[in-house]
Amino acid sequence: MAFSRGAFVPLFLHLCLLVWSAWAKVNVTMPETVEVYLGDTAQILLQYRFDHNESNDFLIQWIVRNEDNSRRRIWYYDNLRGHNVADRNTAYTDRIEMTKDQQSFLLTIEDVQLSDEREFYCQVNGLEARTSLRVFAPPEAPVIEGVTAAISVTNDLPSEVATCVTKNGYPRPKFTWYRNNVPLMADRDDLDMLTLSWESQGLYTVQSTLQYKVTKEDKDAEFSCEVSFLVPGTIRRVKSSSVNVTVHYPTTMAEMWRESPQGLVKEGDTVELRCQGDGNPPSSFNFSREQEQDVDLGSSGDVLILAPVSRKDSGIYQCWPLDGDGHGEVKGEMQLTVHYLDPAVVVPKESELMLKGEDLTASCNALSSLRTSTVWYKDGKQVSQGNTLHLQDATYATTGEYICEVTVPSLPALHTSGSVHIVVQGPPQLVGMEEVKLEEATGRMVNLTCEAHGHPLPSISWSVIGTQNWREVWSRENEHGTQSVASVKVTSDVVAQCNASNDIGAEVKTFLIKALPRDTTTTSFSPAEGSGIIIVVIIVCLLLLANLGGVLYFLQKKGKIHIPCGRSGKQEITKEIANTDDIVVEMKSSARTEDAVLLKAFNGDKQGPDAQ
Ligand SMILES: *[C@@H]1O[C@H](CO)[C@@H](O)[C@H](O)[C@H]1NC(C)=O
Ligand SMILES: *[C@@H]1O[C@H](CO)[C@@H](O)[C@H](O)[C@H]1NC(C)=O
Ligand SMILES: *[C@@H]1O[C@H](CO)[C@@H](O)[C@H](O)[C@H]1NC(C)=O
């Protein structure tokens, strides 16, 4: 076997190395990897052990591998020749140091760069060990941004939900997406995760966009992302904040109710019906009545206003969401009942004539959708309850206006009333006794009062016998009757009659006034009469005094008697007055005779049977 010249030299060198290494037999070990944060200091520890005898005879070289796979020495140590230096003009010249310890050498690299992530070799007396240096730069915390536009559940494809960004990490960080803290697996059909990354000075900025097919349940869901990245010895994770999304979904259920008025609805009210569905955004509605679904009752959004309502508006109302498929399955429904009370109808109508003593039944009815209550009033006082009014044995007091008030206890705002005017017809009926007896001093004025009830209204006329001096001082009519007052001067016995008459009949009331004689001991004379009598008395006195004058003079002359002018004198005067009465009567005799004749005629009429 022959070696070529070219092959001989390396073979020879190899043999020499084998001899040398056999001579300085040493074991070297280094960690497989050394992990360090960007900018930190890395330390690579080389441990050695001699197989046989210890030696201080070291030749050590630290070498790095370049990107192009070439190798470059960065540190040289020769124990025998006293070399322990970094090679000049390398990326490590100023950043590395090597220190020797017992059984180990430590290479220190300061301010580790991303470019330091490479393999480091160490040759000790020709034997080589290797370490990979790994560099880590944790990224910034992830920033999430949810889409602000609403997402519809009707979208066929996944829609963008949120985007997460994390900056300046090394090695390249990864994203995981979460929905309500449950990770979203990338292999699902209803989602996509789009990742983009940029590199800047060796550091990675990564952006992930979640595309997701939202459902109605997602309206309350929270989405977040988590970035995971390697750090020395472990994997670290940092979560973003959460975002939620606005989900639009159609109405699947609608509810309808009456917003106002509260309680029972009556005719004339303004009724507000409202509809609400479970869709988002809240749907607008079409309103209709069950009986005529094709008639759209204009509405504004979710409100239907009916004003003013009448009983014809009662019925079932429906609302149909506009975001659904028109008049489909989804609808709201409610019953509206409009209550009413019709005007009261009173029978008999308006006014009714009754004869005295008659009976009458009136009725008052008002049609209502609710139970009613009827009360009858007359002159502000309740006279009957219930819708019929019984008037029995009518008297003039029965006459009047009867008002029926119809109310609805369950809906007080509903009420109505009607009325009937009852007039009791009959002959005049005078108030009080048929015959009234009075006594009055002659010359006095007496007021005689007559009050007659009856319908038609009686008229009252007076006839007075016994005095000329009378007149009707006033008369008054009201609904119930007529009143008249006559003022009569009592000059002698008087018979006064008031005659109340109407179309149906007449009634008479008689006043018998007995004229009391004028009591002369009293001073109740009228001044004219008194002065006349006094003049006569004085004349008579003077005459008597003149006659007596001679007698007294004669007696005195004889000294037989003494009469003082005192009481006994007065008595005599009174006697004389009684004698003069005839004169007074005489003065008035003509008038007295006339009255007496009339009175006799009337008495004869009245007391006919007695006279005969
Ligand atoms: C997200 O949720 C919060 C709290 O639950 C709520 O106040 C907010 O309105 C929601 N935002 C969206 C877009 O749904
Ligand atoms: C009678 O009535 C008239 C009118 O009311 C009144 O002015 C007069 O004083 C009355 N006379 C008597 C005596 O009561
Ligand atoms: C009362 O008046 C009426 C009507 O004027 C008459 O018919 C009647 O005779 C009168 N009665 C008396 C008692 O005067």
Side-chain angles (χ1 to χ4, degrees):
M1 203 177 191
F3 289 101
S4 72
R5 198 180 160 91
F8 179 74
V9 176
L11 180 65
F12 173 74
L13 282 172
H14 189 72
L15 284 171
C16 286
L17 270 172
L18 282 175
V19 170
W20 180 71
S21 57
W23 157 69
K25 198 82 161 126
V26 62
N27 274 333
V28 292
T29 54
M30 288 211 300
E32 200 173 321
T33 58
V34 166
E35 300 186 326
V36 63
Y37 282 112
L38 179 67
D40 275 5
T41 297
Q43 292 186 317
I44 303 174
L45 184 69
L46 170 84
Q47 288 176 303
Y48 64 89
R49 185 167 50 79
F50 287 98
D51 274 358
H52 307 293
N53 42 347
E54 289 281 321
S55 169
N56 268 340
D57 189 7
F58 286 112
L59 182 65
I60 294 177
Q61 303 186 80
W62 286 93
I63 296 159
V64 295
R65 186 195 286 275
N66 291 323
E67 268 179 34
D68 61 359
N69 262 347
S70 62
R71 291 159 63 114
R72 167 111 201 216
R73 193 181 74 187
I74 56 169
W75 188 272
Y76 177 69
Y77 174 81
D78 186 342
N79 195 24
L80 293 179
R81 292 175 186 80
H83 286 297
N84 189 16
V85 289
D87 284 273
R88 288 167 193 244
N89 299 326
T90 76
Y92 296 95
T93 309
D94 301 323
R95 291 198 287 134
I96 54 173
E97 201 60 57
M98 195 189 73
T99 52
K100 181 184 180 304
D101 201 352
Q102 224 174 1
Q103 306 266 301
S104 68
F105 290 94
L106 186 68
L107 181 70
T108 304
I109 309 161
E110 288 179 345
D111 187 18
V112 170
Q113 306 295 304
L114 287 179
S115 53
D116 296 338
E117 186 167 272
R118 56 172 76 185
E119 285 175 337
F120 287 77
Y121 302 91
C122 184
Q123 285 183 357
V124 180
N125 290 352
L127 281 175
E128 191 174 88
R130 187 184 70 174
T131 282
S132 292
L133 182 65
R134 306 209 34 205
V135 181
F136 299 89
E140 292 170 18
V143 173
I144 190 168
E145 207 173 318
V147 297
T148 50
I151 305 167
S152 173
V153 298
T154 56
N155 290 356
D156 290 331
L157 294 172
S159 313
E160 183 175 328
V161 165
T163 295
C164 265
V165 176
T166 186
K167 288 181 180 167
N168 299 330
Y170 186 89
R172 193 201 310 259
K174 283 182 184 155
F175 273 114
T176 310
W177 282 94
Y178 289 82
R179 177 187 178 278
N180 289 342
N181 292 322
V182 176
L184 291 170
M185 295 305 159
D187 56 1
R188 285 167 54 165
D189 284 345
D190 59 346
L191 59 81
D192 272 323
M193 293 168 189
L194 303 181
T195 307
L196 290 174
S197 69
W198 301 264
E199 198 201 303
S200 166
Q201 294 170 334
L203 295 173
Y204 291 100
T205 291
V206 181
Q207 172 189 305
S208 178
T209 300
L210 174 66
Q211 293 183 336
Y212 181 73
K213 213 168 167 311
V214 296
T215 63
K216 186 174 166 183
E217 286 67 45
D218 293 314
K219 69 189 166 72
D220 301 317
E222 294 197 320
F223 293 90
S224 61
C225 65
E226 182 189 71
V227 66
S228 59
F229 50 90
L230 294 168
V231 292
T234 185
I235 294 174
R236 207 178 285 166
R237 300 168 198 281
V238 176
K239 243 185 175 172
S240 72
S241 54
S242 295
V243 293
N244 44 14
V245 291
T246 307
V247 180
H248 280 180
Y249 42 90
T251 305
T252 58
M253 185 212 82
E255 201 185 353
M256 195 177 184
W257 69 92
R258 170 155 50 88
E259 186 93 341
S260 70
Q262 302 292 307
L264 297 172
V265 178
K266 61 179 190 305
E267 287 193 325
D269 282 350
T270 294
V271 173
E272 191 179 325
L273 305 181
R274 193 175 281 271
C275 210
Q276 191 179 309
D278 60 350
N280 187 41
S283 174
S284 291
F285 294 88
N286 265 336
F287 289 85
S288 64
R289 293 178 67 172
E290 195 188 39
Q291 302 92 311
E292 32 189 20
Q293 289 190 353
D294 43 339
V295 179
D296 187 15
L297 310 163
S299 74
S300 59
D302 58 350
V303 177
L304 174 66
I305 291 175
L306 303 167
V309 288
S310 74
R311 65 197 74 180
K312 284 184 292 197
D313 294 313
S314 293
I316 291 171
Y317 285 78
Q318 297 174 325
C319 63
W320 310 87
L322 290 176
D323 67 357
D325 39 4
H327 284 201
E329 289 292 295
V330 183
K331 68 172 182 215
E333 204 169 70
M334 69 160 288
Q335 163 86 42
L336 176 68
T337 305
V338 179
H339 294 289
Y340 56 89
L341 174 66
D342 280 347
V345 175
V346 181
V347 176
K349 265 167 115 178
E350 289 166 22
S351 73
E352 179 75 2
L353 285 176
M354 284 177 83
L355 289 177
K356 257 189 86 190
E358 263 190 340
D359 296 345
L360 179 120
T361 298
S363 69
C364 174
N365 286 295
L367 194 63
S368 177
S369 52
L370 293 165
R371 202 179 59 74
T372 59
S373 154
T374 307
V375 175
W376 291 87
Y377 294 93
K378 179 172 187 271
D379 301 326
K381 287 194 190 110
Q382 184 178 326
V383 292
S384 177
Q385 213 161 6
N387 63 328
T388 54
L389 170 71
H390 299 287
L391 298 176
Q392 282 165 339
D393 189 15
T395 66
Y396 292 126
T398 310
T399 295
E401 176 110 8
Y402 291 81
I403 296 172
C404 66
E405 284 197 0
V406 183
T407 54
V408 177
S410 53
L411 189 44
L414 281 182
H415 55 82
T416 183
S417 65
S419 69
V420 59
H421 197 98
I422 299 289
V423 176
V424 177
Q425 213 171 24
Q429 194 180 358
L430 285 159
V431 175
M433 292 189 296
E434 209 168 276
E435 193 176 89
V436 180
K437 285 182 174 154
L438 297 169
E439 291 187 335
E440 191 56 74
T442 306
R444 283 288 188 88
M445 299 296 288
V446 177
N447 279 350
L448 305 176
T449 302
C450 256
E451 183 178 356
H453 293 172
H455 191 90
L457 271 182
S459 55
I460 293 176
S461 61
W462 292 88
S463 66
V464 180
I465 298 168
T467 178
Q468 297 282 25
N469 201 346
W470 71 272
R471 64 190 174 93
E472 189 180 31
V473 285
W474 61 264
S475 73
R476 186 170 59 191
E477 292 179 351
N478 63 21
E479 197 190 3
H480 303 292
T482 312
Q483 255 188 320
S484 173
V485 175
S487 189
V488 175
K489 181 167 183 179
V490 181
T491 51
S492 62
D493 288 352
V494 171
V495 176
Q497 285 186 311
C498 71
N499 181 355
S501 61
N502 66 7
D503 292 351
I504 299 170
E507 195 173 65
V508 171
K509 181 173 185 174
T510 305
F511 297 89
L512 299 173
I513 308 169
K514 185 170 172 47
L516 297 177
R518 278 171 298 194
D519 182 354
T520 49
T521 58
T522 66
T523 54
S524 63
F525 298 107
S526 70
E529 281 173 330
S531 61
I533 291 165
I534 287 165
I535 291 166
V536 171
V537 168
I538 290 169
I539 293 168
V540 170
C541 259
L542 288 173
L543 287 172
L544 285 173
L545 283 172
N547 284 338
L548 282 172
V551 178
L552 287 172
Y553 180 73
F554 170 76
L555 287 175
Q556 204 172 11
K557 281 237 165 160
K558 293 202 167 181
K560 279 197 174 172
I561 196 163
H562 171 77
I563 300 171
C565 205
R567 253 178 218 175
S568 55
K570 196 176 179 185
Q571 271 175 350
E572 275 183 90
I573 290 167
T574 307
K575 235 179 207 166
E576 289 301 322
I577 290 167
N579 291 338
T580 60
D581 205 17
D582 284 343
I583 303 164
V584 177
V585 170
E586 219 138 278
M587 284 164 72
K588 289 185 177 178
S589 66
S590 65
R592 202 176 186 181
T593 319
E594 213 174 277
D595 283 355
V597 171
L598 275 168
L599 184 55
K600 203 176 267 177
F602 173 75
N603 283 344
D605 238 34
K606 185 93 182 173
Q607 298 160 353
D610 288 358
Q612 282 164 6

